Amino acid sequence: MATELTNIAGRMRRLVLGGARNPTEPGVYRKVSLLVLLAWIALGSNAISSISYGPQEAFRALGQHTGLAWLVAGAMVLTVLVITASYMQIVDLFPNGGGAYLVASKLLSPGMGMVAGSAMVLDYTLAITISVAAATNAVFSFLPGEWLGYRLAVAAAALAMLIVINLRGVREIIAPLIPIFALFLLTHGGAIIYALLVGPGPAGAAPGTTTAAEPAALGTGAALLVLLYAYSMSGATYTGIEAVSDNMGLLAEPRIRTGKRTMLYTGATLAILAAGLLLSYAAMGVQRADGMTLNASLFASLATGWGPLGVVFMLAALISQAVILLVAAQTGFMGGPTTLSVMAQDGWMPRQFALLSDRLITQNAILVMGVLSLGLLWLSGGNVNLLVVLYTISVFVTFTLAQLGMVRHWWIARSDTPGWMPRILVSGVGLAATTIILAGITILRWRDGGWVTLGLILVAVFVAVLIRRHYTRTAQLLTRLDTLFTSNLPVKSTGDAKRAPEEPPPSDTNTAAILVNGFNGLGLHTLFNVLRIFRGHFKNFVFIQVGVVDAGRFKGVDEIEDLKKSVQADVDRYVEYMRAHGYHADSRYSIGTDAVHQVTSLARQIVQSYPHSVIFTGQLVFPGDPIATRLLHNHMSFAIQKQLYHEGIPVLVLPVRL
């Protein structure tokens, strides 16, 4: 009965999440990587979708001074182009991805990188939350007002659906959305052109608005203050530009060219649509209406008098916008887990976040991002205005640190880099723009939630420091263990010991199958414990090692091949050592994402060849065994023991005290 239920659960999992993928299969990396068109949709949507809330924040900040919209629009276009150009430089320097985290870590300091990474995790969590909330708002903009009470529940359901979808992988989600992305560009681009051609302009649209002559009429000082305020509020428009450089590992080869072209398409699309919409609001005299976004109000005013065609146009524009926003949320499910996995490899986050599932995705990190986003959605009540403030500040913390790192890099490398002047100029202008926006929106919206963002980043920084401190201490203890065993390894000379014969021992030989993870103190400690406790009982030793393909390894065929060679070299050293001491010895190794599954499969093979086998594995025992060790270490030995017990295979877990 239990086996039948397990089989049913397995079939349901494959139906929902898809079948397992083999990381060593030829061409598998290309199957899960993104070409330019798919990357433009998957990663570019995070930036392009910001036209749903960014331009309207800038327009509202203008108040009655909408005649200044053309100046703000120009500043927005310039800012998009500068940030895009700067991040294209980052793509050149860091072709494997990592974005602001790696830039700040390598070009400033590891601590600054950790701050940038913490802000990036919050950034992507908010990207998911705000995209889902804004998508829900877009849909409810044309639904009856009495339905608004269901908006939060619908947003939560959509977010839960995205969590499940992202557990399948990226490419399968994006390819079917190409027609919807095209519809989004056509409807929004067409609306902008029509509004600018037929709109009456600010002067004729609403009382109290003015024309392009407003700077002189308002006064230079007052006009600058209004412009600075509106420009600061436009910060949400630029969120998402960094997604491509953060997720370079998802792009198809040649990776740098794919990344640059994707960023170029994304930046150009965002600049045109964001500036165009801002000018369209002014041209049509769009006013805020309860339960409607400014985009919905714009489309409604444009479609007035179109009859049924107008309804079709509005539905097509708003539904395509909602879908693109959901794709942007899905970008958060790529960028956030990528950042968590890179930070995990450096010890700032739990190592489990770098592990891949059998679908070759960072499943643990995706689930964490989903839970955090659901929590923020519930706490904020789906309030897009509040989420925009939190999101913009977190994004511009990463922008500013990335630009600062690039400025420092070009200055240090100026003597060795031809053409460094225009490069540092781009990064310098980007640094100035991002600093102004970060300071402006933090100060202006401090009481509206600005302090919350900085507080959340500080909490993330504090947690990261504690995690890094634990892993550093653990590494020191393991280094001491390695030194103790490897430097004092009692190797006999060939004259002192009779080498074991090369042919395999009889199948009825007592066999110890020892799970190792490299030729190190942990594996040797386990081996010597077996020899000490079971003196003379085992005549044959089989060493098992699994090369775990995590997010850091799954970047191409070369990395997988290097991992294979490293694993084989490790187990060969154990075999050579035991044969030199007169024992029969052999090895079994494999490469995969799920260590428990791989070890279980290898153990079955060993027991089939040597029925009198016992599986041994070592388990680290930390002083005091605090809760942190249970959260930050996977305790794989116990998972393997549990799995093999069900199959009747004896497993002994030997303690390795640190």
Side-chain angles (χ1 to χ4, degrees):
M1 182 64 179
T3 303
E4 185 178 346
L5 290 175
T6 302
N7 291 336
I8 293 174
R11 286 195 295 270
M12 289 297 296
R13 184 182 184 279
R14 286 192 295 273
L15 178 65
V16 175
L17 303 183
R21 287 185 167 125
N22 182 1
T24 62
E25 175 189 342
V28 67
Y29 182 79
R30 184 168 181 81
K31 291 180 182 178
V32 298
S33 60
L34 300 173
L35 300 173
V36 174
L37 177 60
L38 296 181
W40 184 26
I41 300 173
L43 300 175
S45 291
N46 194 24
I48 297 169
S49 66
S50 65
I51 66 169
S52 303
Y53 41 82
Q56 78 173 9
E57 289 297 314
F59 187 72
R60 287 172 179 171
L62 286 172
Q64 297 298 310
H65 309 293
T66 54
L68 298 173
W70 63 280
L71 289 173
V72 178
M76 289 168 62
V77 170
L78 180 61
T79 303
V80 169
L81 295 180
V82 168
I83 294 177
T84 301
S86 180
Y87 268 91
M88 288 174 74
Q89 295 180 3
I90 292 175
V91 166
D92 268 327
L93 285 178
F94 299 97
N96 290 325
Y101 170 71
L102 277 186
V103 172
S105 296
K106 303 295 184 182
L107 306 182
L108 295 175
S109 70
M112 295 299 287
M114 178 269 294
V115 173
S118 299
M120 286 172 67
V121 172
L122 179 60
D123 158 11
Y124 280 115
T125 303
L126 286 162
I128 297 169
T129 310
I130 195 173
S131 297
V132 171
T136 309
N137 285 355
V139 172
F140 276 81
S141 290
F142 60 84
L143 294 178
E146 56 268 21
W147 290 20
L148 290 177
Y150 300 101
R151 186 165 51 187
L152 186 60
V154 170
L159 183 47
M161 178 190 69
L162 280 173
I163 295 172
V164 174
I165 290 175
N166 274 275
L167 292 175
R168 288 187 63 92
V170 177
R171 189 161 178 157
E172 295 89 337
I173 309 168
I174 303 303
L177 296 177
I178 294 176
I180 297 177
F181 186 71
L183 179 64
F184 169 81
L185 295 180
L186 287 173
T187 53
H188 286 68
I192 290 170
I193 294 172
Y194 186 79
L196 296 179
L197 289 176
V198 307
T209 55
T210 54
T211 66
E214 184 155 347
L218 190 60
T220 304
L224 285 175
L225 287 175
V226 172
L227 285 171
L228 184 60
Y229 178 52
Y231 180 62
S232 297
M233 291 300 101
S234 73
T237 306
Y238 321 115
T239 55
I241 295 177
E242 78 286 3
V244 177
S245 72
D246 293 349
N247 297 279
M248 289 292 291
L250 297 174
L251 303 184
E253 297 287 357
R255 196 175 295 163
I256 293 178
R257 187 178 71 179
T258 302
K260 285 187 169 182
R261 290 176 65 181
T262 303
M263 291 210 70
L264 183 62
Y265 295 165
T266 300
T269 308
L270 174 60
I272 293 170
L273 293 182
L277 280 173
L278 182 63
L279 294 175
S280 297
Y281 299 152
M284 297 300 296
V286 174
Q287 301 294 314
R288 183 176 182 178
D290 291 338
M292 295 184 70
T293 63
L294 284 189
N295 284 355
S297 298
L298 173 65
F299 298 147
S301 63
L302 290 175
T304 301
W306 291 8
L309 181 61
V311 176
V312 172
F313 169 76
M314 279 193 62
L315 286 174
L318 292 174
I319 290 177
S320 65
Q321 183 182 119
V323 173
I324 295 304
L325 280 162
L326 291 178
V327 176
Q330 126 78 29
T331 305
F333 278 114
M334 291 186 286
T338 298
T339 304
L340 285 171
S341 69
V342 176
M343 293 182 73
Q345 293 167 48
D346 292 341
W348 294 111
M349 289 289 159
R351 296 278 164 78
Q352 291 89 325
F353 289 157
L355 299 179
L356 296 176
S357 71
D358 58 8
R359 291 289 294 171
L360 304 181
I361 57 172
T362 49
Q363 178 175 293
N364 294 331
I366 288 174
L367 290 172
V368 167
M369 294 295 295
V371 171
L372 290 175
S373 298
L374 282 169
L376 282 174
L377 182 68
W378 176 71
L379 290 172
S380 66
N383 185 337
V384 173
N385 292 330
L386 170 62
L387 292 170
V388 163
V389 175
L390 305 181
Y391 184 31
T392 306
I393 293 175
S394 63
V395 170
F396 274 85
V397 168
T398 68
F399 278 175
T400 303
L401 290 173
Q403 303 307 310
L404 180 61
M406 293 301 293
V407 168
R408 184 174 183 269
H409 167 74
W410 294 127
W411 179 253
I412 293 175
R414 65 189 185 280
S415 59
D416 304 322
T417 308
W420 67 273
M421 182 64 77
R423 298 179 184 181
I424 197 173
L425 181 62
V426 168
S427 299
V429 173
L431 175 61
T434 55
T435 302
I436 289 171
I437 294 175
L438 175 60
I441 197 168
T442 302
I443 295 169
L444 294 171
R445 304 300 292 272
W446 179 261
R447 299 177 67 180
D448 296 330
W451 65 272
V452 176
T453 308
L454 297 182
L456 290 174
I457 292 175
L458 287 175
V459 169
V461 166
F462 178 71
V463 171
V465 169
L466 292 180
I467 292 173
R468 178 63 174 264
R469 184 178 299 173
H470 171 81
Y471 281 134
T472 300
R473 181 168 174 268
T474 301
Q476 292 171 346
L477 294 172
L478 288 174
T479 300
R480 189 185 308 166
L481 188 68
D482 291 346
T483 303
L484 176 65
F485 281 92
T486 57
S487 62
N488 299 297
L489 198 60
V491 179
K492 294 182 180 180
S493 66
T494 53
D496 296 330
K498 179 182 178 182
R499 279 187 73 87
E502 296 293 333
E503 65 272 9
S507 60
D508 61 350
T509 303
N510 292 329
T511 300
I514 301 176
L515 177 62
V516 297
N517 184 25
F519 191 79
N520 51 32
L522 177 60
L524 291 170
H525 189 288
T526 305
L527 169 62
F528 295 154
N529 267 344
V530 172
L531 293 172
R532 177 177 58 84
I533 297 171
F534 302 92
R535 296 186 179 184
H537 181 74
F538 295 107
K539 304 299 182 182
N540 182 37
F541 290 81
V542 181
F543 296 93
I544 306 171
Q545 183 167 341
V546 173
V548 177
V549 181
D550 58 15
R553 294 278 189 178
F554 186 63
K555 293 177 180 175
V557 176
D558 292 341
E559 285 80 0
I560 301 296
E561 286 301 316
D562 289 343
L563 179 61
K564 283 182 180 178
K565 293 176 182 177
S566 174
V567 170
Q568 184 173 7
D570 286 336
V571 292
D572 284 349
R573 290 185 68 184
Y574 284 103
V575 171
E576 180 65 22
Y577 175 78
M578 294 306 290
R579 285 179 178 174
H581 285 73
Y583 294 97
H584 287 284
D586 200 357
S587 64
R588 300 283 192 280
Y589 71 90
S590 65
I591 306 296
T593 58
D594 187 342
V596 175
H597 173 75
Q598 297 293 327
V599 170
T600 302
S601 177
L602 294 174
R604 291 194 200 103
Q605 298 174 23
I606 293 169
V607 171
Q608 193 171 24
S609 300
Y610 304 105
H612 300 282
S613 296
V614 178
I615 311 297
F616 292 93
T617 177
Q619 176 61 51
L620 295 176
V621 179
F622 295 88
D625 192 27
I627 296 177
T629 62
R630 282 171 263 171
L631 296 176
L632 302 180
H633 299 273
N634 55 25
H635 296 287
M636 186 179 66
S637 298
F638 298 119
I640 293 171
Q641 185 183 53
K642 180 179 179 181
Q643 180 68 31
L644 292 178
Y645 268 10
H646 286 295
E647 302 186 23
I649 299 175
V651 180
L652 291 182
V653 179
L654 302 180
V656 179
R657 296 183 63 188
L658 293 179

